[in-house]
Amino acid sequence: MIPYTFRQLQYFVAIVDHGGLSEAARVLNISQPALSAALTQLEVLLELRLLDRQPGRPVRLTRQGHPFLVEARVL
């Protein structure tokens, strides 16, 4: 059974595509805290850190995030 939802995958891909949570939240029309919580929940479920997040900087994929992004795009 897959431990995450397609919505969480959509959010993850949007964060990567838009370079950060603020812009992705705007495009997805949800609050930034809700998007951040969804990403954190996804990372907890997977027991992986998918993105490096530092205030004021674009997000960066981690080594574990790269293959997961490819899989998320396929799904």
Side-chain angles (χ1 to χ4, degrees):
M1 185 170 158
I2 298 173
Y4 47 80
T5 67
F6 285 112
R7 178 154 297 171
Q8 288 171 313
L9 295 180
Q10 176 190 21
Y11 288 174
F12 171 64
V13 171
I15 292 166
V16 173
D17 287 349
H18 295 286
L21 282 97
S22 296
E23 183 62 18
R26 188 188 66 75
V27 170
L28 293 167
N29 198 33
I30 64 171
S31 72
Q32 187 274 331
L35 184 58
S36 180
L39 175 61
T40 298
Q41 183 182 35
L42 178 62
E43 290 177 323
V44 167
L45 287 169
L46 295 172
E47 297 180 352
L48 296 173
R49 198 167 112 239
L50 300 172
L51 298 172
D52 281 327
R53 298 179 264 177
Q54 296 179 3
R57 294 189 173 184
V59 295
R60 293 179 47 194
L61 283 167
T62 63
R63 190 172 293 170
Q64 298 88 4
H66 280 282
F68 190 76
L69 177 63
V70 171
E71 190 171 320
R73 288 191 192 282
V74 169
L75 291 173

